[in-house]
Structures are given as C-alpha cells and as structure tokens.
Amino acid sequence: MLRIRGTTYHFRRIVPPALRSALNQREIWVSLKTGYQNEARKRASLLHARTTELFDATSRALAEGQEQQAVPHVRDALKDLHRLLESPTGIEVMPLSVSRPRSRPQNMRKASAVATTSPPKPQPLLLSQALTRFVLENPHASADTKKATQRAVELFLQAFGDAPISIIGGEKAGAFRDLLFSLPASLGKRKSSLTLPEEAARAKKDGRPTLSGKSVKNHMMRLSALWNQLLQRELVKKNPWTGWSFENGSKTIRRGWSTQALHTLMTGDWPRSSVPESTFRIVTMIGAYSGLRLGEICHLRTEDLEGSKNPWF
C-alpha cells in the first residue's frame, strides 16, 4: 500500500478487476507529500478508507444497473481528501486506461526529447546516508563517537523514520527531545517489540524512571556534532540541535551529615561480615576527608596516601 519514490511516500491501491472497466482505472496512486514513514501511514489509512467507499459505491451502482454516467469518478470521489492531508496539493491521481489506449499528445515526442537531454535531478541526502558518509565511514572518528552517534540516529529513525536532512528542523528536534525525556531509563537493556511511543506510554503508566537529562543531552549533542559537519559543507542552513535545555525536573536535594549521625557512623558496630570493619572505617574516613566517591576510593593505592599520621594507614 505504501511506496516510496525518491524521498516521498505514495499511496498505491489496485482497483478490483470487476470495477476497472467502470472506473477506467487499474490502480490509484496518490502522493502523500511527506518523507516521514509514521505520518505517511496515517495519511494512507485515510486514503484506504476513502477508496473503499469509492469501490462500494461503484459496486452498488453497477448492481442496480445504472448507466455509466452514474458511476462515480475517481478524481471526483477523492477531491475532498485535500482537506484531510496536511498539504493542499497532496492528491495526485495517475489513471491507467484499460478500456482503450489513450491518444498520445502531439508534443509528447518533443517533451520526451527535452527530458532525455536535461540533467538528472540530484536526490536529497537522507539522515541515514549522512550518518554513514560523515561518521561511520570517517577514518578520523573514534569508535566511541561512531557507536554513540549511530545510537542517537537510530533512535530518531525509529521515532520519525528516515528523511532528508534539509527538512529536519527545530520542530522535529524538539519532538525528539521530548520523546527522549519520556523513554524508560532501561531502554536498550532488554529486548522489546514495542515502538518508542509505546515504550514511553508504558513507562508513564508504570511510573518507571525515565532517561536523565545527561542521557538526553548526550544524544542531542551527537546529532549536533553531525549537523555541524553538514553546516560546514553547506548541506543544511542551520543546526536545530543546539540551544536546548536538559533540565527535566527538580534536582535531588542532598543534605550534609549531622554531628550525631557522623558519631554514630564512626563508633557504631559494623554488622556485615563480608567486609572487614577496618576497611569500612578507613573508607568512611577517606570519604569524609576528601569527598571522593566509593568507586574512586576503592581504586586508591597505598602510594596514593602520603603524609598521613592516622593509625588506620
């Protein structure tokens, strides 16, 4: 039902054999005027319903023995779809005659000759092609850069489909940012057959934690770096991935230890047997003195601790 020509999706539906003579059509082609797959599917569903009504009306007219003039015409039956699609010129019916061959215009031969001599129109650069050309095939890009950029682009393609880079602007960048903030933090850590909007709806329903501002910023920055290359090559006019805020809620309030709590921590009994009490106390003292994190403390070596007269060292 969906076909893509160049970067634009089209709707195609075969006319039932019993109705071809009456409608003087074998198939119906309609330009959906969009390069986004999700949007094309929505528009195609409207066209499918409308053409079904057309086929039903034609079948009733033939069953009642009405004259050929009473049979609805395809273009007339589809003309109200102009208001259903986003583009007012979204309807483009391409009829194929089955009753008799169409007369060839006299200037057809001249037009064909002109068409063969004109240079082919360059195809717009798709986002997936830009990723491959400027990142994945770039010998100077690191493995981490390639992996992270590919992940960010794949998330965008899953959400909105592939499209020319020239039509991706602030609207899509903002929609992608909002979607990232609603995705679960566990995305990609388990297999799932859900789409990204479904993942977001499920996370909201179950109250699951979502991607942090740092994660969203990383994805946006990878796309921004790719767009900077496109901007330098004058393949796009602006970079829509910059200037966004990544604060998605209230910050975690951290309070300091009270004197009583510190005294309890240092003098209380250590209940665990898997970690020696001496290890627990020295880690606690280093953390209180330096502010290091647990992982940073555990990576310290003996020679890293100098000039200390503490009996624990």
Side-chain angles (χ1 to χ4, degrees), residues 111-162:
S112 300
V114 174
T116 55
T117 58
S118 60
K121 184 178 180 181
Q123 295 294 330
L125 181 65
L126 299 178
L127 176 57
S128 60
Q129 296 171 339
L131 169 67
T132 302
R133 178 178 172 184
F134 300 113
V135 180
L136 300 183
E137 295 181 353
N138 184 359
H140 304 292
S142 65
D144 291 340
T145 298
K146 293 180 180 180
K147 182 178 179 181
T149 307
Q150 184 175 16
R151 176 58 176 163
V153 172
E154 286 178 349
L155 287 175
F156 183 90
L157 297 180
Q158 290 178 35
F160 305 106
D162 206 356

Side-chain angles (χ1 to χ4, degrees), residues 161-220:
D162 206 356
I165 56 174
S166 58
I167 67 173
I168 300 177
E171 179 183 0
K172 287 299 178 184
F176 184 57
R177 170 190 172 277
D178 297 341
L179 176 62
L180 289 177
F181 271 123
S182 63
L183 293 176
S186 60
L187 183 70
K189 299 179 181 179
R190 56 180 176 80
K191 294 183 178 180
S192 176
S193 59
L194 301 179
T195 63
L196 293 185
E198 291 172 345
E199 288 280 7
R202 182 177 177 180
K204 182 179 180 180
K205 179 180 179 182
D206 299 341
R208 298 182 179 182
T210 56
L211 292 180
S212 64
K214 181 179 179 180
S215 298
V216 175
K217 181 180 180 180
N218 288 338
H219 288 309
M220 298 282 285

Side-chain angles (χ1 to χ4, degrees), residues 22 29-30 68 77 83 87 91 102 106 138 155 168 171 188 190 193 196 200 229 238 273 275 285-286:
W29 278 86
V30 178
Q68 181 71 21
R83 74 179 193 280
S87 174
I91 305 301
R102 295 181 179 271
Q106 295 181 358
N138 184 359
L155 287 175
I168 300 177
E171 179 183 0
R190 56 180 176 80
S193 59
L196 293 185
Q229 294 192 55
K238 62 180 181 178
S273 59
V275 179
M285 294 181 65
I286 294 175

Side-chain angles (χ1 to χ4, degrees), residues 5-235:
R5 287 183 172 179
T7 60
T8 304
Y9 283 95
H10 292 71
F11 170 83
R12 175 177 180 261
R13 188 171 186 184
I14 302 298
V15 177
L19 307 179
R20 292 177 182 176
S21 298
L23 294 176
N24 197 27
Q25 303 266 147
R26 291 191 59 181
E27 58 184 16
I28 297 175
W29 278 86
V30 178
S31 173
L32 299 177
K33 299 297 182 181
T34 181
Y36 294 106
Q37 189 178 46
N38 291 343
E39 184 64 26
R41 288 177 177 174
K42 296 178 183 179
R43 300 182 180 187
S45 63
L46 297 174
L47 290 169
H48 188 276
R50 201 73 180 92
T51 51
T52 299
E53 295 176 2
L54 170 65
F55 296 157
D56 291 343
T58 304
S59 299
R60 289 194 300 269
L62 296 177
E64 295 172 359
Q66 299 182 19
E67 297 181 357
Q68 181 71 21
Q69 292 77 3
V71 177
H73 192 273
V74 176
R75 188 181 298 275
D76 295 335
L78 294 179
K79 65 181 180 180
D80 59 334
L81 284 174
H82 284 278
R83 74 179 193 280
L84 297 179
L85 300 180
E86 289 186 353
S87 174
T89 58
I91 305 301
E92 182 183 344
V93 179
M94 300 165 55
L96 297 177
S97 176
V98 296
S99 57
R100 62 182 183 278
R102 295 181 179 271
S103 58
R104 180 167 179 153
Q106 295 181 358
N107 61 347
M108 180 66 72
R109 184 174 301 176
K110 181 178 179 181
S112 300
V114 174
T116 55
T117 58
S118 60
K121 184 178 180 181
Q123 295 294 330
L125 181 65
L126 299 178
L127 176 57
S128 60
Q129 296 171 339
L131 169 67
T132 302
R133 178 178 172 184
F134 300 113
V135 180
L136 300 183
E137 295 181 353
N138 184 359
H140 304 292
S142 65
D144 291 340
T145 298
K146 293 180 180 180
K147 182 178 179 181
T149 307
Q150 184 175 16
R151 176 58 176 163
V153 172
E154 286 178 349
L155 287 175
F156 183 90
L157 297 180
Q158 290 178 35
F160 305 106
D162 206 356
I165 56 174
S166 58
I167 67 173
I168 300 177
E171 179 183 0
K172 287 299 178 184
F176 184 57
R177 170 190 172 277
D178 297 341
L179 176 62
L180 289 177
F181 271 123
S182 63
L183 293 176
S186 60
L187 183 70
K189 299 179 181 179
R190 56 180 176 80
K191 294 183 178 180
S192 176
S193 59
L194 301 179
T195 63
L196 293 185
E198 291 172 345
E199 288 280 7
R202 182 177 177 180
K204 182 179 180 180
K205 179 180 179 182
D206 299 341
R208 298 182 179 182
T210 56
L211 292 180
S212 64
K214 181 179 179 180
S215 298
V216 175
K217 181 180 180 180
N218 288 338
H219 288 309
M220 298 282 285
M221 291 298 292
R222 294 298 179 179
L223 289 169
S224 178
L226 172 59
W227 245 255
N228 283 337
Q229 294 192 55
L230 301 175
L231 195 62
Q232 289 178 338
R233 299 172 184 271
E234 298 184 352
L235 296 174

